[in-house]
Amino acid sequence: MQRIRLRYTKRGRLRFTSHRDFQRAFERALRRAEVPMAYSAGFTPHPKVSYANAAPTGTGSEAEYLEIALTAARDPEKLRALLDESLPTGLDVVDAVEARTSGLADRLTASVWELRLAGVDQADADRAVDAFNEADAVEVQRMTKNGVRTFDARAAVVQLETHSEPADRPTDQPCAILRLVVRHVTPAVRPDDVLSGLRAVADLAPPVPAAVTRLAQGLFDEETGTVTDPLAPDREAAQAPTTADPAAAAKAPA
């Protein structure tokens, strides 16, 4: 059995599709592309697809991940192209590797988000970000199926900063851009929780809903302060046999 790991996107209007909507679209794409899927056992077999940490409905993403199990080996890049052609524009399969290591979900420990706040001045955003970063804790509330839950939105945030908007914007309306790096903790701290925190500490309330996009997710590197590519270990494992020292291989026992 071969396992393939895929990175896909949610762009444009497709950011408003739910995770269940994507699952249905992806399973249709598997059938159209005639992928030799492995199926679960039991009375209602399902294709073996493992989804990892999907973005909330309404947010865009450049870094969603899943893993599929196949009954016959396929070239990952050719499979990626077939699936991409079978999905609607906006749900794009942009990377594929053969799974050669374990624990993809365990490598998704942090996310990088971009929050575009239309109608918010840069100075107001700077002031709110400073207040949030200086706070020891920022309590926010979220409605759950068990009622309202209060939790700290500050502890999970590794980095929150503002970015300047390009000078050649097509409109004169202000738009502040925030870059957020947040750890995946329990309870999960989402971008909308951070926006609630900015409202709590600095009364920052964008006049229209923020446009939120996940730019990356993976392991957080403490030394560099970056979120690393979770598929890199599989690529490195695939290259290892070809990059090994030929002399060392010749000395290896038969």
Side-chain angles (χ1 to χ4, degrees):
M1 182 181 296
Q2 183 188 37
R3 293 179 298 128
I4 300 291
R5 290 169 176 167
L6 305 170
R7 176 167 70 93
Y8 67 94
T9 71
K10 288 174 59 181
R11 296 168 174 162
R13 291 184 298 175
L14 273 298
R15 69 174 57 214
F16 297 105
T17 57
S18 68
H19 182 55
R20 184 166 294 182
D21 291 335
F22 173 77
Q23 287 178 304
R24 287 194 289 263
F26 185 69
E27 290 186 11
R28 287 196 295 268
L30 291 171
R31 292 192 292 271
R32 290 193 193 101
E34 298 182 344
V35 177
M37 289 296 300
Y39 281 78
S40 62
F43 292 104
T44 56
H46 297 285
K48 289 188 175 182
V49 183
S50 300
Y51 300 92
N53 196 39
T57 302
T59 63
S61 181
E62 295 295 314
E64 301 296 287
Y65 293 92
L66 59 81
E67 180 177 299
I68 60 177
L70 310 182
T71 57
R74 291 292 185 269
D75 177 80
E77 176 55 27
K78 292 180 180 178
L79 179 63
R80 182 207 66 77
L82 285 171
L83 288 172
D84 189 48
E85 291 175 1
S86 301
L87 284 167
T89 300
L91 298 177
D92 305 316
V93 183
V94 294
D95 201 358
V97 298
E98 183 174 0
R100 295 175 179 267
T101 62
S102 61
L104 173 62
D106 294 337
R107 296 201 289 269
L108 304 180
T109 63
S111 287
V112 182
W113 296 92
E114 180 186 83
L115 290 69
R116 300 179 68 88
L117 311 182
V120 174
D121 290 322
Q122 183 76 35
D124 292 336
D126 289 339
R127 176 178 54 83
V129 166
D130 288 343
F132 186 95
N133 287 332
E134 291 169 2
D136 293 328
V138 179
E139 287 194 345
V140 299
Q141 293 183 329
R142 184 198 302 160
M143 179 61 72
T144 70
K145 61 182 180 181
N146 296 320
V148 177
R149 182 170 188 175
T150 302
F151 58 95
D152 178 20
R154 177 67 185 87
V157 175
V158 178
Q159 180 181 343
L160 177 62
E161 60 185 16
T162 57
H163 281 237
S164 299
E165 181 75 359
D168 57 348
R169 291 181 68 243
T171 175
D172 293 332
Q173 294 296 318
C175 179
I177 301 177
L178 307 185
R179 186 67 57 86
L180 167 69
V181 180
V182 61
R183 297 182 191 274
H184 300 166
V185 297
T186 303
V189 174
R190 306 181 307 207
D192 57 311
D193 298 320
V194 175
L195 289 172
S196 296
L198 292 171
R199 186 181 303 113
V201 299
D203 198 27
L204 183 72
V208 296
V212 179
T213 302
R214 173 148 56 193
L215 303 180
Q217 65 171 323
L219 279 174
F220 180 72
D221 189 320
E222 299 285 352
E223 292 185 1
T224 63
T226 60
V227 173
T228 61
D229 178 8
L231 301 184
D234 296 299
R235 275 189 280 268
E236 293 168 1
Q239 295 171 359
T242 60
T243 57
D245 183 4
K251 295 178 182 178

